[in-house]
Each structure stands twice: as C-alpha cells, then as structure tokens.
Amino acid sequence: MVNVNICENVERIRGLIAESAKKSGRKKEEIQLIAVTKNHKVEEMVKAIQEAGVTNIGENRVQEAQTKWASWPENVNAEWHLIGHLQRNKARKALEIFNVIQSLDSIALAERLERICVEMKRTVRVLLEVNTSGESAKHGVAPDDVYSLFDYVMGECPSLTVQGLMTVGPLTEEESEVREAFALLRSLKENLSSSRDVLLPELSMGMSGDFQWAIEEGSTMVRIGTAIFGPRSY
Ligand SMILES: *Cc1c(COP(=O)(O)O)cnc(C)c1O
C-alpha cells in the first residue's frame, strides 16, 4: 500500500486548479473538484470529505456505490456523481444514490430515468456524455448526435435537468490531441446554448493526467482520482 496523504494531495490539486484558472483568465471558483473514489474505501472517502473539505465525489459503478452507500456514516454529506456508464436496468438504483448523472448517453436511458423520476416524484441533474475522441472503447454519444439527445431530454424529460456536457479525453499524452477533444466539447456546449437559447453551465472534463489542459479549455468540473488517492488496486 502506497503511503498517500489525501489532505496534502487535495491542497496541491486546489493550488494547480487555481494556477490554471488564473492562466486562462478565469476564477478558481468556477471549477469544481470531483474526487473520484472508485476502488477506494469508504474511510478514504470520509477522510477526503471531513478533513480535506471535498464536497463532490465521483463513482463509476452503481454496484460499488451501492455497497459503499450501505455502510455510509449518517453524518457525512457529499454530492454523489455517477461518472461511469449506466445500464438501463440499474437506473433505479442509480437514482437512489446519485445526485448527478454525468453519463447520460442515450435516448433509451433518458426515457428510463424520466419514468423512474416520475414514480419517485423527484428530479435529477444530468450531463450528456460525448465521445470526443472517437475511441471505440469510450462511452458517450458521437459529437453530431448530442443535439438530438439534448432535444429529446428537453422535450420529453421534464424531470431531468441538463446542466452541461461531459467527456473523457483521449488516451494519449499528446497535448494537442487532448486539447482538441476538450475544445470540441466546449464548442458543442456553446453551439447548443446559442441554438437552443438555454444556459448550460457545466463542462465536466479533465482527470489526474490532463485537468490543467481541461481548465484552460473551459472545464468547470475536473474529476480526479489517482492524484488524490494514489493508484487504484484492482
Ligand atoms: C477513473 C475516472 C476518472 C479519474 O481518473 P484519474 O486518472 O484516476 O484521475 C475520471 N473520470 C472518469 C470517467 C473515470 O472513469
């Protein structure tokens, strides 16, 4: 087990977020830190929340989140973001745990979430996930398809509040390629906002290896796991 100081790591990341914000003429308050806790324990999550002041956590899998939720201490509060692919048959469980679904990537899933929200008499915040890199292993709608998904949700899903777009950058260290994907997400958001005349505040992009580029390209939510909690053991 690697010796990891969660508090120091969060402090360091906050410093880097502020630095990148300043570099691009933005305020650091415009960027939310989502601590990605997949494959890490409830104790580590609680420490990040109580001692390092983390307020948003990101989980990839409904099943894992459910297990953690079952032993979650009562007095510890955070916003739970689902950042991994959601299968339709897990939509109900996801809505029992998560405050934000960042991985809405199909009309069929939107339809299911809407139906269950109506039953539960609640609403849910969502981001539309876009595959900006074209990598076949990645989830998300193709860039051209984000418009029809958005129009479907706006027209047919009054229980879902679309707050913006989400993407996972390409699997490369090539800066120009990574930035191109982030810039694409930003331009999709701007095109949607202006053509539909809606306010879409959020751009969820950037992870441990690329969050500073993402902020310079306009990210408002960075999803950081390894740089806070250390490497994941599977
Ligand atoms: C795991 C994961 C992250 C965090 O990745 P790190 O490289 O550990 O920071 C962010 N977003 C998604 C969708 C992930 O699956």
Side-chain angles (χ1 to χ4, degrees), residues 34-38 40 58-60 82-85 102-103 129 166-169 204-211 222-232 234:
I34 317 285
V36 176
T37 50
K38 62 177 178 230
H40 291 286
E59 282 282 333
N60 279 67
L82 179 64
I83 61 172
H85 182 64
Q102 293 207 3
S103 49
E129 182 174 358
M166 182 272 230
T167 199
V168 177
S204 175
M205 56 192 197
M207 321 201 320
S208 292
D210 56 20
F211 72 93
V222 292
R223 309 179 307 266
I224 302 196
T226 312
I228 296 177
F229 299 102
R232 290 178 282 272
Y234 288 91

Side-chain angles (χ1 to χ4, degrees), residues 58-126:
E59 282 282 333
N60 279 67
R61 293 169 54 244
V62 175
Q63 182 85 51
E64 181 179 341
Q66 207 182 3
T67 307
K68 289 171 172 174
W69 192 237
S71 65
W72 193 255
E74 226 172 81
N75 55 339
V76 179
N77 295 306
E79 293 264 297
W80 289 59
H81 297 249
L82 179 64
I83 61 172
H85 182 64
L86 177 58
Q87 290 171 329
R88 269 182 291 164
N89 61 10
K90 301 228 172 84
R92 186 180 303 275
K93 291 210 169 89
L95 284 168
E96 286 166 1
I97 299 170
F98 292 98
N99 305 97
V100 184
I101 310 263
Q102 293 207 3
S103 49
L104 179 53
D105 63 357
S106 73
I107 286 176
L109 178 60
E111 184 184 20
R112 178 72 62 100
L113 288 168
E114 172 64 24
R115 186 145 43 83
I116 297 167
C117 278
V118 168
E119 268 179 53
M120 294 168 90
K121 297 188 168 58
R122 60 163 287 186
T123 59
V124 67
R125 288 170 275 154
V126 299

Side-chain angles (χ1 to χ4, degrees), residues 147-172:
Y147 299 96
S148 53
L149 177 57
F150 179 82
D151 289 339
Y152 178 83
V153 177
M154 293 304 282
E156 309 294 329
C157 307
S159 312
L160 311 192
T161 311
V162 184
Q163 297 209 305
L165 305 180
M166 182 272 230
T167 199
V168 177
L171 201 66
T172 169

